[in-house]
Amino acid sequence: MRSFTLLFSTIFLFASIITASSGDRHSTFTDCVSQCESKKCLPPTGPITLPLALRVTRWTCRDECRYVCMHSITDQAISAHEPVHQYYGKWPFWRFLGIQEPASVLFSLLNLWGHVHGFRRARRVIPKTHPMRKYYLGWGVVNVNAWIWSAVFHTRDMPSTEKLDYFSAGLAILYSLFYTAVRLFHLYTPLQQRLVISSKQSRPSTLDIWASLCILTYIIHVGYLSSLHRFDYTYNMAANLVIGILHNLLWITYSLPTPLTRPFPLRPSTYRPDHAYKAVTFAILTTMATTLELFDFPPWGRTIDAHALWHLSTAPIVLFWWRFLIDDALDEGWKAGKI
C-alpha cells in the first residue's frame, strides 16, 4: 500500500517545495532573522546554548532564529486577520521536543505500526510454502523502512533526511511494482520446480531478469538524483507517478473478470475470489485520501495541516491492503495451483 500512498505524498510534497514560499522571502522575516543572529548567534553574546531536545534534533542557532521569527510574524498576521504565509515550503508549525511537524510524525508512526501489524500477521498465517509469502513480507520490510524515514524527515527537514525519505519512498514504490508483476504474471517459482532448478544450470529466469531490471532502475534513479547539485523534484515526481500508476492498474485487472489476466493459473481466466473487489476499492480509497492534499490550508492550531490529515487517512488503508494480500494468499484458487 505504501507504493500508492507514498506516490501521492511525494507528488504534493514536491509541489510544495518547488513553489517558492512568500514568507521566507519577505523583508520583515529576513530582517528579523538577521537581527536575531546578530544578538544570539554571533560573538560576543552568542551563540546561545539551546535546550537538549533541540540539540538532539540538530537545531542550530540560526534555525532557532528562523523559528522564532516565523512564529512572531505569524502571530502578527493572525492578530491582524492577514494571510498566514509558508516558510521554506512549509506552513508554520509548533514544534514539540524539537520535532518540526509533530502530527505528521505521529501519523507516520501510525502507518508504520499498521505495516508491522500486517507483517506479523502475514508471517503467522501465510504458509511457509506459499510462493508469494517472501515477496509480501519483503514488501512489509521495505514499507517499515519507508515510514521510519518519513517520521525522521518530518521530525527534522534537512538535506540528508529529505533524501533518505525520498529514496526510501522510491524503493517502496518500485518494490510494489516488482512484487505485483511477480504475483500477477506468475514469475514466482512453483515449489515442485525448486529442487529441479537448483540441481542444474539454466539460463536466467524471467524473475531473475525482472529483479535485475528493477535493481538497476533503482540504482540509476538514486545515482542520478545524488549526482545533482540541486535535487530534481520534477523528475522524481514523474518517475514515482509512472510506477505508481502501473502498480494500481495491474491490481485493478485483478478485480475485473476479464480474459486479459488470470490471477490463478489453474482456474478459468474469469475466476475472481470474493475479495477481488478490494483491489479496486483500494485504488478508490487512496484517491479519495489524496484529495486532502488538494485542499492545502494553514495548520489548525499550527499543528495539523492537510498533509498530516493525509497521513492519518492512509493508516487504515494500510491495514485494509494487508488484509487483501493475506486473503489473496489464502484463497482456495491456490490449492489447485502453485503451493
Side-chain angles (χ1 to χ4, degrees):
M1 214 291 295
R2 177 68 166 165
S3 65
F4 205 75
T5 56
L6 276 176
L7 163 65
F8 286 103
S9 176
T10 52
I11 288 175
F12 290 102
L13 184 57
F14 298 156
S16 69
I17 294 173
I18 294 170
T19 304
S21 302
S22 56
D24 56 87
R25 297 180 308 171
H26 199 281
S27 59
T28 303
F29 176 77
T30 56
D31 291 344
C32 175
V33 173
S34 179
Q35 293 175 14
C36 176
E37 289 182 333
S38 297
K39 294 179 180 179
K40 296 183 178 181
C41 304
L42 300 176
T45 56
I48 60 173
T49 300
L50 298 176
L52 177 61
L54 299 186
R55 298 200 304 271
V56 169
T57 49
R58 299 186 64 183
W59 287 76
T60 66
C61 185
R62 187 179 188 185
D63 294 333
E64 177 69 7
C65 284
R66 289 176 174 178
Y67 177 83
V68 171
C69 289
M70 174 180 68
H71 282 289
S72 176
I73 295 171
T74 300
D75 288 339
Q76 298 173 23
I78 293 175
S79 298
H81 303 287
E82 297 176 350
V84 174
H85 295 278
Q86 290 189 343
Y87 296 81
Y88 305 104
K90 293 180 179 290
W91 292 110
F93 292 95
W94 291 122
R95 68 191 175 197
F96 176 72
L97 297 178
I99 299 173
Q100 278 183 278
E101 301 174 59
S104 288
V105 171
L106 176 62
F107 300 150
S108 291
L109 294 176
L110 189 60
N111 281 271
L112 169 63
W113 173 84
H115 278 291
V116 171
H117 176 78
F119 175 90
R120 295 178 65 182
R121 183 166 183 267
R123 186 173 59 178
R124 184 174 66 253
V125 303
I126 298 178
K128 292 183 178 181
T129 54
H130 196 289
M132 286 303 298
R133 185 177 189 268
K134 65 179 180 181
Y135 298 105
Y136 289 165
L137 295 181
W139 177 77
V141 171
V142 168
N143 277 276
V144 165
N145 174 74
W147 282 110
I148 286 174
W149 288 114
S150 173
V152 171
F153 174 64
H154 286 301
T155 297
R156 283 293 281 131
D157 179 358
M158 298 184 294
S160 58
T161 59
E162 177 187 63
K163 287 185 176 180
L164 286 167
D165 179 40
Y166 294 166
F167 292 163
S168 297
L171 178 60
I173 294 170
L174 183 58
Y175 186 89
S176 294
L177 180 63
F178 167 73
Y179 87 78
T180 298
V182 171
R183 167 65 184 90
L184 298 182
F185 297 116
H186 314 295
L187 303 184
Y188 44 79
T189 305
L191 178 62
Q192 58 267 32
Q193 295 180 14
R194 292 175 189 171
L195 294 177
V196 176
I197 291 176
S198 63
S199 65
K200 64 180 180 179
Q201 296 295 326
S202 62
R203 293 178 299 175
S205 65
T206 304
L207 175 60
D208 293 333
I209 296 173
W210 172 234
S212 299
L213 178 61
C214 289
I215 293 171
L216 181 61
T217 298
Y218 184 71
I219 292 174
I220 293 174
H221 173 75
V222 173
Y224 167 72
L225 291 173
S226 300
S227 66
L228 300 176
H229 177 70
R230 183 182 181 87
F231 197 90
D232 192 341
Y233 297 102
T234 302
Y235 155 76
N236 196 49
M237 177 182 66
N240 288 324
L241 176 63
V242 170
I243 295 173
I245 289 176
L246 287 174
H247 166 268
N248 250 36
L249 289 176
L250 286 173
W251 278 112
I252 288 175
T253 65
Y254 178 99
S255 298
L256 303 177
T258 169
L260 296 177
T261 58
R262 196 170 188 166
F264 299 91
L266 298 187
R267 293 296 181 100
S269 60
T270 55
Y271 170 77
R272 294 297 184 275
D274 293 339
H275 61 268
Y277 74 92
K278 291 184 179 181
V280 170
T281 304
F282 160 77
I284 295 174
L285 289 175
T286 51
T287 302
M288 292 176 60
T290 302
T291 60
L292 287 170
E293 293 277 17
L294 298 176
F295 303 100
D296 197 19
F297 54 84
W300 300 332
R302 298 188 219 181
T303 302
I304 298 179
D305 68 340
H307 186 72
L309 289 176
W310 179 86
H311 278 320
L312 176 62
S313 69
T314 60
I317 303 177
V318 168
L319 296 174
F320 176 86
W321 191 245
W322 269 111
R323 286 194 293 270
F324 167 79
L325 294 179
I326 293 172
D327 288 343
D328 172 69
L330 301 180
D331 187 75
E332 292 293 320
W334 289 97
K335 291 186 178 180
K338 299 295 182 179
I339 295 181

